[in-house]
Amino acid sequence: MNSITRASQLADVALEDQAPSGKIAIGKLLYEAGRIKREDVERVKKLQAEKGLRFGEAAISLGVCSEDDILRALSRQFAFDWIAPTETKLASELSVVFDPFGRAAEALRTVRGQLLLRWFDQGNRTLSIIGLHSGAGVSHVTANLAVLFAQLGMRTLLIDANLRNPRQEALFAVKSHAGLSDMLVGRAAPDSFNKINQIANLWLLSAGPIPPNPQELLARPSFYNLLQNYQKQFDVVLIDTPAFDIGADAEVISSRARGALVVARKNVAKAKVARQLQQDLAGSGVTLCGAVLNEY
């Protein structure tokens, strides 16, 4: 189904305050966003009545707004985060935000669906995401999955536990302040996380200052206690984890989360390393919930 068809099937409203369903009308959203002029609304409504078209379909036919304008208005109407790059400082790597109908976003939705069935629907709330090797794209996958879970209306916390090379602050354009490393040594309160204002239901706990002893900090009981506390506050807790090939951080974090998703890069990942990771996780009582193979 192409995007014009999606738009025309969903948009059959004008500039009234509310659509029949109780949602804000597409025409009103377009007008408030400056994408359509008030005088154009009557033209659209006239063509809509003459041809039996939906509002979005008629507006596109008249050229008063674009297909993307309609789809962005629909995203607001259905509480679906789709933001134009010019409207935010969020990183372009958040493909599920900037290109929600693209191939990468659809693939990640499939991953989300499998994780729901295999892990979160079973009563679990915490999941670590591990790179089989450095540069596998863990931060990218974790950030996009966090957005996707939040779009389901699930209260989602993204924890950047990569205390060696953290990236989530940059991806979500969050100013540096107290983070996980501060909490683990008692210098910050457990609620020192950031609400991502442009994405409903999403919070970020950044890594904080990079410590000289990340593995020792993550092995402390305070990290386990934090996760136990967050499981009571959030529906989904995703943990961005350092790569398996740079230290034991990944195994320590995953043993606390009890579940893991592995990310590997196509034509780079080695079967021997994958088998070793699987054995190590199993030995720590960690459930391997699946794997993602990046093609970039």
Side-chain angles (χ1 to χ4, degrees):
M1 182 185 295
N2 61 38
S3 51
I4 293 178
T5 303
R6 283 195 298 267
S8 65
Q9 285 182 342
L10 291 170
D12 191 9
V13 289
L15 195 54
E16 298 85 6
D17 287 339
Q18 296 290 329
S21 62
K23 298 182 176 68
I24 299 175
I26 293 294
K28 181 177 175 63
L29 291 171
L30 291 168
Y31 176 73
E32 291 177 345
R35 300 298 182 181
I36 190 170
K37 297 178 180 178
R38 184 176 288 276
E39 55 266 30
D40 290 328
V41 174
E42 290 305 318
R43 295 173 55 207
V44 174
K45 290 170 67 176
K46 182 179 179 181
L47 180 63
Q48 185 181 4
E50 290 175 353
K51 302 292 187 181
L53 303 175
R54 300 181 186 275
F55 185 88
E57 195 174 19
I60 293 171
S61 298
L62 288 172
V64 298
C65 62
S66 70
E67 174 189 328
D68 274 2
D69 292 333
I70 296 296
L71 289 172
R72 290 187 192 283
L74 285 169
S75 73
R76 287 187 59 197
Q77 191 185 60
F78 285 86
F80 181 79
D81 300 300
W82 184 16
I83 304 169
T86 56
E87 299 173 347
T88 181
K89 294 182 180 179
L90 298 176
S92 59
E93 281 188 56
L94 297 172
S95 54
V96 298
V97 173
F98 298 117
D99 187 19
F101 305 114
R103 180 169 172 262
E106 294 296 348
L108 285 165
R109 284 193 188 92
T110 300
V111 175
R112 179 189 64 183
Q114 291 299 312
L115 291 175
L116 281 169
L117 291 171
R118 298 182 181 183
W119 189 245
F120 293 107
D121 284 354
Q122 307 303 315
N124 304 295
R125 296 197 172 187
T126 306
L127 181 73
S128 64
I129 302 181
I130 307 172
L132 191 61
H133 45 78
S134 301
V138 169
S139 294
H140 167 83
V141 170
T142 308
N144 280 281
L145 282 175
V147 173
L148 287 173
F149 278 109
Q151 287 176 344
L152 290 178
M154 304 175 77
R155 285 176 56 84
T156 303
L157 176 64
L158 168 53
I159 300 176
D160 194 343
N162 189 338
L163 302 185
R164 299 173 185 267
N165 183 30
R167 296 194 60 235
Q168 296 300 339
E169 273 190 357
L171 292 179
F172 287 96
V174 171
K175 293 183 179 179
S176 298
H177 75 300
L180 177 60
S181 62
D182 296 296
M183 293 180 192
L184 295 179
V185 295
R187 290 203 304 258
D191 61 353
S192 298
F193 37 69
N194 299 275
K195 176 71 180 72
I196 306 301
N197 293 322
Q198 291 183 284
I199 301 173
N201 308 306
L202 181 60
W203 287 260
L204 169 66
L205 172 55
S206 57
I210 297 177
N213 58 338
Q215 190 177 137
E216 287 77 14
L217 286 182
L218 293 165
R220 291 185 176 186
S222 54
F223 181 56
Y224 174 77
N225 293 335
L226 272 177
L227 294 183
Q228 292 295 106
N229 182 43
Y230 291 148
Q231 288 182 67
K232 300 174 184 177
Q233 300 180 52
F234 296 94
D235 302 310
V236 172
V237 179
L238 298 181
I239 308 174
D240 184 347
T241 306
F244 176 61
D245 64 355
I246 64 172
D249 303 29
E251 186 177 352
V252 171
I253 294 169
S254 298
S255 68
R256 301 292 191 260
R258 311 305 298 172
L261 174 73
V262 176
V263 180
R265 187 173 175 181
K266 187 176 181 179
N267 299 324
V268 174
K270 297 180 179 179
K272 180 180 179 180
V273 179
R275 286 193 295 270
Q276 184 62 55
L277 173 58
Q278 185 177 17
Q279 291 173 9
D280 289 356
L281 292 178
S284 298
V286 178
T287 299
L288 182 58
C289 300
V292 173
L293 185 65
N294 267 335
E295 295 183 355
Y296 71 91

